[in-house]
């Protein structure tokens, strides 16, 4: 997924969205729709023997503190790779997870779930990332030329 300036917590974690409940175009209902974070989270919880990766491109194109919201707390990991802190799951998230066979009142990123992100540090139209958010990540600088030969071929 790629972040953009209008990307929100509702898109990232999940939100209610209108759906057409029947063939009658006048019948609209609202249904919780999980975002990429919650879909990967549920898959990782259901399959603890498999690894899951959530890859975010251009993380600094959005206001990451707002996009992550409470999930921000989960980024601190202990020595086992699990979230050090838990956050309360909303009723909507609890219902979604229960449909997946996961019964939790609090969220905690499991050790088999990874979040990687890219950012272009030279782009001028970016949101600043505060130090509290930055310290929760391992950083690796990869220059543009890495992986290319002198002729520009890979």
């Amino acid at each position: 997924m790629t972040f953009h300036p209008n990307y929100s917590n509702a898109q990232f974690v999940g939100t209610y969205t209108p759906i057409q409940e029947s063939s009658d175009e006048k019948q609209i209902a609202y249904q919780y729709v999980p975002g990429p974070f919650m879909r990967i989270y549920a898959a990782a919880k259901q399959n603890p023997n498999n690894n899951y990766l959530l890859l975010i491109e251009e993380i600094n194109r959005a206001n990451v503190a707002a996009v992550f919201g409470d999930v921000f707390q989960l980024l601190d990991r202990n020595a086992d790779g699990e979230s050090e802190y838990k956050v309360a799951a909303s009723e909507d998230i609890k219902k979604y997870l229960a449909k997946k066979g996961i019964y939790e009142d609090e969220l905690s990123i499991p050790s088999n779930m990874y979040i990687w992100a890219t950012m272009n540090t030279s782009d001028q139209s970016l949101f600043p990332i505060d130090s509290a958010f930055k310290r929760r990540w391992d950083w690796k600088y990869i220059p543009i030329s890495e992986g290319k030969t002198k002729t520009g071929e890979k």
Side-chain angles (χ1 to χ4, degrees), residues 13 19 38 43 46 67 77 87 95 107 110 113 115 119 121 124 128 139 141 153:
V13 177
I19 60 164
M38 195 51 56
Q46 287 176 307
V67 170
R77 306 276 188 118
V87 296
K95 288 176 188 174
L107 303 178
M113 180 178 164
I115 303 173
M119 66 188 320
T121 57
Q124 298 300 310
W139 293 80
Y141 176 74
E153 298 174 355

Side-chain angles (χ1 to χ4, degrees), residues 6-18:
N6 294 326
Y7 204 74
S8 69
N9 179 266
Q11 292 168 298
F12 185 59
V13 177
T15 191
Y16 272 89
T17 187

Side-chain angles (χ1 to χ4, degrees), residues 56-153:
I56 303 166
E57 288 195 56
E58 304 281 349
I59 194 168
N60 53 333
R61 286 197 165 273
N63 180 346
V64 292
V67 170
F68 273 74
D70 288 347
V71 171
F72 172 80
Q73 294 278 80
L74 304 178
L75 297 177
D76 282 321
R77 306 276 188 118
N78 62 26
D80 295 329
E82 297 175 355
S83 294
E84 269 189 64
Y85 309 105
K86 296 181 178 191
V87 296
S90 69
E91 291 303 315
D92 304 322
I93 289 174
K94 286 185 208 177
K95 288 176 188 174
Y96 168 72
L97 292 174
K99 288 179 186 176
K100 301 284 185 180
I102 304 162
Y103 302 95
E104 297 181 334
D105 289 330
E106 296 179 313
L107 303 178
S108 174
I109 296 176
S111 61
N112 66 326
M113 180 178 164
Y114 301 90
I115 303 173
W116 292 0
T118 66
M119 66 188 320
N120 179 348
T121 57
S122 63
D123 194 332
Q124 298 300 310
S125 61
L126 305 173
F127 282 89
I129 297 178
D130 65 43
S131 59
F133 191 82
K134 284 181 182 178
R135 74 174 176 80
R136 288 170 164 84
W137 297 81
D138 291 326
W139 293 80
K140 180 182 178 186
Y141 176 74
I142 302 173
I144 293 173
S145 61
E146 188 170 303
K148 294 184 178 181
T149 65
K150 289 182 181 180
T151 62
E153 298 174 355

